[in-house]
């Protein structure tokens, strides 16, 4: 029987994804000048021929002054339709889609999570955030020291700051559309700026952008509305949102915000989770780490059986918003796990990240009916930690090791070299 993973999916904008497998966004760390370049294109040429139903790029930052990493591609200036900027981005779009795979650009602003060494604003300049709440990795001396060294204290955004960042999101989306990409995904997860506005933990404003779940959602809703006005009707606009452990009150607030996004006409929603303070998107959580281990996965027994990190949250979203196209990302390693999520009704699209860095043609194996279920899988160990990391915060070290390791594999893809799964030392 054909796998449900092979089914095409049509988004509300009309864009058709030829199957349900999406190469999820990962940090590439390849844009040394913060612009698209040959190494980035070479890596994506591998995924372009990998049989994916869609490709999501890593972060493209909307402001070169505020980067998530020193090597993120970014918008360097206000976009006014310049042919030179289109010419800079079009080869990247063409490579990604040369075999017909729709490619969606993840656009982002890190807000308070912009590292000191990332961005053109200077090492001592403040980051920006909805409220002036600094990042905290913990209350211990080492945790506080690492936080201070890694990030400057944020300042609360003014109304002018908010309007400027909204324009930057719109400019970036217009440039991606003009360059030929198939859509954009607003990064509203992992503690970045949109997520900071949505969360009552990081947004304590009492103006029109804070104070209630609806007001905290205004920032992203204005971004969505203005992008929709500026791009073709067939250009997809999605969003990545956090799934995290909620109290009943905050869970309902999240559902209220999702309803607003659905009503605003979002084309798809990707469910992920975690922040730098609690990196559950990498399979780590401060709530489950032990003092002597930085490799404690966050899966419950039931979730582990189905692989996905955020399955239960996605199923609740599906139950409340049955017409919303859902992508679930985090933890998928096999055909059986991916098919289970689809057949259970938890999602329409399966996002696959780290296996894609090891095997760029992973979908070809999952969709090949001649390959048995035992072979249609790619289990991955956690990246082993060097001994000297034992004194550092477990949450940030665990996530940092994973990001560094897999960006290294993406670099190998870009250079035409063989890739390797992590092994225990």
């Amino acid at each position: 029987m054909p796998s449900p993973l092979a089914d095409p999916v049509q988004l509300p904008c009309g864009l058709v994804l030829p199957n349900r497998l999406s190469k999820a966004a990962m940090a590439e760390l390849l844009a040394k000048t913060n612009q698209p370049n040959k190494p980035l294109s070479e890596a994506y040429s591998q995924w372009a021929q990998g049989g994916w139903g869609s490709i999501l790029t890593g972060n493209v930052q909307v402001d070169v002054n505020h980067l998530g990493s020193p090597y993120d591609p970014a918008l360097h200036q206000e976009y006014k339709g310049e042919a030179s900027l289109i010419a800079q981005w079009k080869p990247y779009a063409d490579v990604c889609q040369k075999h017909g795979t729709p490619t969606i650009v993840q656009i982002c602003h890190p807000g308070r999570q912009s590292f000191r060494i990332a961005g053109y604003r200077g090492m001592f300049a403040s980051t920006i955030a909805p409220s002036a709440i600094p990042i905290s990795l913990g209350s211990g001396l080492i945790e506080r020291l690492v936080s201070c060294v890694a990030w400057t204290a944020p300042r609360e955004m003014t109304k002018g700051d908010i309007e400027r960042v909204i324009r930057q999101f719109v400019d970036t989306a217009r440039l991606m559309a003009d360059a030929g990409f198939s859509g954009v995904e607003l990064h509203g997860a992992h503690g970045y700026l949109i997520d900071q506005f949505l969360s009552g933990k990081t947004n304590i404003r009492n103006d029109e952008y804070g104070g209630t779940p609806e007001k905290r959602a205004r920032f992203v809703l204005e971004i969505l509305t203005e992008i929709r006005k500026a791009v073709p009707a067939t250009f997809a606009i999605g969003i990545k949102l956090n799934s995290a452990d909620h109290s009943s009150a905050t869970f309902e607030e999240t559902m209220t915000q999702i309803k607003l996004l659905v009503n605003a006409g979002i084309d798809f929603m990707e469910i992920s989770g975690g922040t730098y303070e609690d990196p559950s998107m990498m399979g780590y959580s401060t709530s489950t780490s032990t003092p002597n281990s930085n490799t404690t996965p966050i899966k419950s027994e039931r979730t582990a059986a189905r692989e996905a990190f955020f399955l239960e949250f996605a199923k609740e979203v599906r139950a409340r918003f049955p017409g919303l196209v859902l992508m679930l990302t985090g933890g998928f390693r096999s055909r059986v796990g991916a098919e289970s999520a689809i057949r259970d009704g938890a999602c329409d699209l399966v996002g696959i990240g780290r296996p894609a860095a090891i095997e760029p043609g992973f979908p070809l194996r999952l969709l090949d009916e001649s390959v048995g279920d035992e072979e249609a899988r790619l289990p991955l160990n956690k990246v082993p930690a060097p001994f000297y990391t034992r004194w550092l915060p477990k949450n940030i070290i665990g996530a940092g090791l994973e990001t560094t390791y897999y960006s290294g594999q993406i670099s190998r893809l870009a250079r035409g070299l063989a890739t390797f799964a992590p092994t225990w030392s």
Side-chain angles (χ1 to χ4, degrees), residues 49-254:
Q49 56 193 334
W52 299 93
S54 56
I55 292 171
L56 270 70
T57 74
N59 279 336
V60 170
Q61 304 293 350
V62 302
D63 184 352
V64 75
N65 295 309
H66 299 267
L67 303 178
S69 85
Y71 303 131
D72 290 337
L75 191 68
H76 287 238
Q77 63 196 68
E78 185 179 356
Y79 175 57
K80 298 181 179 179
E82 294 91 339
S84 60
L85 279 179
I86 296 172
Q88 187 180 96
W89 286 86
K90 183 171 171 44
Y92 181 25
D94 290 346
V95 164
C96 291
Q97 301 177 128
K98 66 180 178 179
H99 296 289
T101 303
T103 298
I104 294 169
V105 180
Q106 182 172 264
I107 61 176
C108 181
H109 192 299
R112 68 177 189 156
Q113 287 190 169
S114 182
F115 288 102
R116 283 184 184 272
I117 59 172
Y120 292 15
R121 70 185 184 279
M123 288 184 62
F124 301 101
S126 297
T127 53
I128 58 174
S131 301
I133 300 173
I135 293 175
S136 173
L137 299 178
S139 58
L141 177 61
I142 293 177
E143 286 87 350
R144 287 187 282 120
L145 179 61
V146 171
S147 298
C148 182
V149 170
W151 299 283
T152 55
R155 64 172 177 82
E156 182 174 302
M157 293 171 69
T158 66
K159 183 69 180 298
D161 292 326
I162 291 172
E163 291 172 350
R164 184 182 66 257
V165 173
I166 290 171
R167 289 196 304 271
Q168 289 171 330
F169 270 99
V170 175
D171 280 356
T172 306
R174 283 197 306 118
L175 176 56
M176 298 305 110
D178 291 347
F181 286 103
S182 297
V184 293
E185 180 183 53
L186 308 177
H187 200 333
H190 302 174
Y192 291 121
L193 185 61
I194 291 174
D195 187 27
Q196 291 163 33
F197 267 93
L198 290 170
S199 172
K201 294 180 180 178
T202 48
N203 182 353
I204 56 173
R205 302 173 72 99
N206 56 12
D207 62 2
E208 63 266 44
Y209 292 96
T212 67
E214 293 84 357
K215 288 182 177 180
R216 295 199 303 270
R218 179 171 177 169
F219 178 66
V220 67
L221 291 171
E222 289 185 353
I223 291 171
L224 172 58
T225 299
E226 294 304 311
I227 290 177
R228 186 63 78 192
K229 294 176 184 176
V231 298
T234 54
F235 189 75
I237 308 174
I239 188 167
K240 179 185 287 185
L241 283 188
N242 256 13
S243 157
D245 293 328
H246 301 275
S247 68
S248 58
T250 58
F251 181 86
E252 290 304 326
E253 289 179 353
T254 301

Side-chain angles (χ1 to χ4, degrees), residues 24 40 126 131 177 230 236 379 396 398 405:
L40 202 58
S126 297
S131 301
I396 197 71
Y405 183 87

